[in-house]
Amino acid sequence: MHASFIYIFVSLCGITNALRLPVHARRDVPAPAKRGIRTLMVQNQNGKGEDVTIDNAKDVVYATNITLGGVEFPIQLDTGSSDVWVQTPFALNVANQTNIPVNLTFGIGEANGLIGFTDMSLGDYDVPNQAFLNVSNATDFGAIFSNGIFGIMGLSFDQGSSVFDEMAVQTNTSVGRTFLSNVFAQNVSAPNMFSVLLGRTGDTDGNQEGIFTIAEYDPGFPNITSQPKLPRTPAQLHDLTTLPRWSIEMDGMKVNGKPFQFNTSSVAEASPGKTVVVLDTGFTFSQIPPAAVDFIYQSIPGFVLNTTTGVYTVPCDATTDLTFEFGGVEYPIDPLDIAVIHTSADNTTVCQNAFQTISLPPGDQGLDMILGVSFLKNAYVSFDFGDWTPQNTTGVPFIQMLPTTDAMKAKDTFKSIRDKQVCANDASIASAATGMTAGSLEVGHLPTTVQRVLPVPLRRRGVPQSSVHAQAIAHSVPHTDGRFRVIVSTHRVPIQLPFMPHGDFMSACVNRILDSHGPVILALLSGIAVLTLVSFVAAVVLAVRLWRRRHAGEGYEQIAIKDEEY
């Protein structure tokens, strides 16, 4: 009986993430209808609506559905690159398959294939003969392919595209333009912008999936237009000295209210006292200077640093206050995004740093750091090309950001959400060990390091330096585990369940629940005990009364009463 109760009790640990489906929230259609892609509803000029979701694959990859070559499938959204490239397990109807090869080199592995042209659509936007890379061989894209996502759609600039660059060399035309560039060329009256809000897993108070709009803002964030315009830095209006990116100046970073002193920016155009950061949805973990990583995670009590890998392991229920500042506006980071759940090599649940160390080669690379998913889940971001195009370089692209994290609320709910995440991961580990499927979702089972190789300029015969481009940026995910287990001592004697299979995992789950909600559970159990006792006493009293009634006539002699007249 006791074992059955504990099993039922522990199974509740994974209920929150037992089955997670994309949220298809629909908003009422505003009047008049606008042209553009809205979060989960697409509007065109005749008011026709169509679902377009941005899916969150365990906080690792953010993707949306496209139709390419007559087939609909999900593709990753990446503000850090420009090319559309796919490798699908099914055949595509490619209208024009060229013999022009492009090799994309990554930190570990590579992708290579031939440039093709075919119709591509996203929502109500249709681009005929869109240039893309039809990849025949790709390695080390497990985070994408394992989630049923079959490629990347770059959201950056034409001149960062290897396909655009190669077609310019081969044909002296702009037929290799990016998907967004073609959309804006077809809709000249539409604003040349898109916006993104990334959701999160396991946060019932946050956006479960996300927002992706083209040519309009999401109506849920009307204040985005009043936020400071952060111009692209370096501006690169004429000659390209580095790969053009969505890079902007950052004012600073604070931990527990204390500002961190960054080194002087390596970017020549950066303003004094500011650093240049790239906003990149393709990076799971933000990449910042080593001293900044230390400043954040050494402020968390109980931290452990693996000096070999540079990975910090911290108590899962501990955190710190982290904010970044842009244009005089502070952007608080949710504690859930400071450290992420990870399954270590010895099958234990640990929490590791989501802001990691960047390593830049000497010289001006056009950036100082990269803020990825761990930052972007805390802001609604508008990426505006302005008037800038490859033919018109008089306008400077800019970014506007609206903070979306309520620091106080996030701190208040952090522990309860994190406890559910940890328990769900523990249950997942236990289920994997028995070969059973528990249905619980492991939140953020991520590699401890994610690096992206900086572009290396490629010179081509007869091409001026201003048109020399880098090969597309992409990911590598080397996996190294620092085998550390953080043990937090408590005054309560931990519960051990040696009589149960995988008792260590079950014990950990029970103890975490008791640590978080011990007083409440104790009060409930005490109330149940009192009610049980009262019910027992009442039952005894009732039973005694019934017994007395049934045996009231036994043991007495009946007396005959004679009626007489007086």
Side-chain angles (χ1 to χ4, degrees):
M1 177 178 176
H2 295 293
S4 300
F5 171 77
I6 294 295
Y7 269 121
I8 295 172
F9 179 71
V10 172
S11 68
L12 297 176
C13 297
I15 282 180
T16 300
N17 292 318
L19 179 61
R20 188 172 178 280
L21 300 175
V23 178
H24 298 283
R26 292 175 171 81
R27 293 188 177 90
D28 292 335
V29 179
K34 297 180 179 179
R35 173 74 180 181
I37 294 180
R38 186 172 280 110
T39 309
L40 303 174
M41 178 68 71
V42 177
Q43 298 298 324
N44 60 16
Q45 290 175 342
N46 62 16
K48 177 184 177 182
E50 179 178 344
D51 286 340
V52 175
T53 62
I54 172 172
D55 290 329
N56 171 0
K58 298 182 184 177
D59 287 351
V60 181
V61 176
Y62 289 84
T64 192
N65 277 6
I66 65 167
T67 299
L68 185 70
V71 182
E72 184 179 21
F73 58 91
I75 193 169
Q76 182 185 6
L77 299 173
D78 186 11
T79 60
S81 65
S82 302
D83 289 303
V84 174
W85 71 263
V86 300
Q87 184 182 32
T88 62
F90 40 80
L92 299 176
N93 181 17
V94 181
N96 178 15
Q97 181 63 68
T98 74
N99 292 319
I100 301 174
V102 169
N103 296 322
L104 306 179
T105 303
F106 314 106
I108 294 181
E110 62 179 17
N112 56 75
L114 301 176
I115 296 176
F117 292 84
T118 195
D119 295 345
M120 176 175 169
S121 63
L122 173 63
D124 284 347
Y125 287 111
D126 300 315
V127 175
N129 294 319
Q130 172 63 45
F132 73 103
L133 185 63
N134 196 0
V135 171
S136 56
N137 182 44
T139 57
D140 291 291
F141 284 95
I144 296 178
F145 296 138
S146 64
N147 285 295
I149 298 167
F150 302 115
I152 290 177
M153 186 174 92
L155 301 173
S156 194
F157 304 93
D158 282 347
Q159 286 152 313
S161 164
S162 294
V163 170
F164 176 82
D165 185 47
E166 190 64 38
M167 292 308 300
V169 172
Q170 296 287 339
T171 67
N172 198 29
T173 67
S174 60
V175 295
R177 288 187 303 191
T178 64
F179 177 78
L180 283 180
S181 185
N182 283 323
V183 167
F184 297 144
Q186 292 176 2
N187 301 271
V188 293
S189 62
N192 295 348
M193 54 78 64
F194 66 93
S195 71
V196 173
L197 174 69
L198 303 184
R200 67 177 76 251
T201 296
D203 182 358
T204 55
D205 297 323
N207 294 277
Q208 290 298 306
E209 295 306 324
I211 292 171
F212 176 53
T213 74
I214 295 178
E216 67 173 319
Y217 304 104
D218 183 82
F221 300 91
N223 295 332
I224 182 68
T225 56
S226 63
Q227 296 302 300
K229 292 183 178 181
L230 308 170
R232 186 178 71 180
T233 304
Q236 297 179 307
L237 297 184
H238 303 291
D239 295 332
L240 292 179
T241 55
T242 59
L243 188 70
R245 307 178 179 91
W246 288 110
S247 53
I248 56 176
E249 289 184 336
M250 184 178 76
D251 299 345
M253 180 188 82
K254 294 179 181 178
V255 176
N256 292 328
K258 298 179 181 178
F260 174 75
Q261 184 62 51
F262 287 98
N263 292 333
T264 301
S265 174
S266 64
V267 181
E269 294 187 28
S271 303
K274 296 188 178 183
T275 53
V276 176
V277 304
V278 173
L279 300 185
D280 191 345
T281 60
F283 258 106
T284 301
F285 301 126
S286 298
Q287 308 288 293
I288 64 178
V293 175
D294 295 339
F295 193 71
I296 296 172
Y297 293 96
Q298 291 185 13
S299 71
I300 300 178
F303 75 88
V304 177
L305 172 62
N306 185 325
T307 56
T308 301
T309 64
V311 173
Y312 277 91
T313 303
V314 298
C316 287
D317 59 354
T319 188
T320 190
D321 293 331
L322 175 63
T323 60
F324 292 88
E325 184 175 331
F326 294 87
V329 178
E330 290 191 345
Y331 297 82
I333 304 301
D334 193 304
L336 295 170
D337 302 321
I338 296 175
V340 294
I341 300 292
H342 177 71
T343 301
S344 67
D346 59 352
N347 280 335
T348 57
T349 298
V350 297
C351 288
Q352 296 179 340
N353 53 308
F355 289 82
Q356 299 187 343
T357 297
I358 191 171
S359 178
L360 293 171
D364 185 354
Q365 303 296 330
L367 63 94
D368 296 308
M369 66 191 79
I370 301 170
L371 293 182
V373 171
S374 54
F375 169 81
L376 291 170
K377 285 192 289 187
N378 298 275
Y380 175 52
V381 187
S382 166
F383 298 82
D384 200 313
F385 290 85
D387 297 327
W388 187 91
T389 66
Q391 292 76 33
N392 175 26
T393 58
T394 59
V396 179
F398 62 90
I399 286 175
Q400 290 177 290
M401 295 193 295
L402 185 69
T404 57
T405 296
D406 183 326
M408 294 300 296
K409 181 179 179 180
K411 192 172 184 178
D412 290 342
T413 59
F414 163 67
K415 197 172 187 303
S416 62
I417 296 173
R418 180 48 54 90
D419 284 345
K420 293 176 183 177
Q421 293 177 335
V422 171
C423 284
N425 201 60
D426 285 344
S428 179
I429 295 172
S431 299
T434 59
M436 297 173 60
T437 302
S440 60
L441 174 65
E442 178 181 346
V443 180
H445 184 143
L446 305 176
T448 56
T449 58
V450 177
Q451 298 177 346
R452 186 183 297 228
V453 170
L454 292 173
V456 180
L458 304 176
R459 282 192 178 274
R460 293 187 174 88
R461 187 179 306 170
V463 181
Q465 178 65 32
S466 61
S467 65
V468 174
H469 309 295
Q471 297 197 15
I473 300 173
H475 320 291
S476 69
V477 284
H479 191 106
T480 53
D481 274 307
R483 299 191 179 187
F484 295 106
R485 179 181 296 177
V486 177
I487 301 175
V488 181
S489 61
T490 62
H491 296 291
R492 178 181 54 76
V493 178
I495 294 176
Q496 297 296 329
L497 307 174
F499 56 87
M500 298 177 60
H502 312 290
D504 290 340
F505 298 115
M506 302 304 180
S507 299
C509 185
V510 172
N511 283 303
R512 285 192 184 94
I513 292 177
L514 291 178
D515 286 338
S516 302
H517 311 292
V520 175
I521 293 174
L522 182 60
L524 290 174
L525 292 176
S526 300
I528 293 172
V530 170
L531 290 175
T532 302
L533 180 61
V534 170
S535 300
F536 175 76
V537 171
V540 170
V541 171
L542 181 60
V544 169
R545 288 182 176 180
L546 290 174
W547 183 86
R548 286 180 174 177
R549 288 180 181 177
R550 290 177 181 177
H551 300 83
E554 297 181 2
Y556 296 92
E557 182 179 351
Q558 294 183 355
I559 302 176
I561 300 177
K562 183 182 297 184
D563 292 334
E564 296 182 357
E565 294 182 1
Y566 294 93

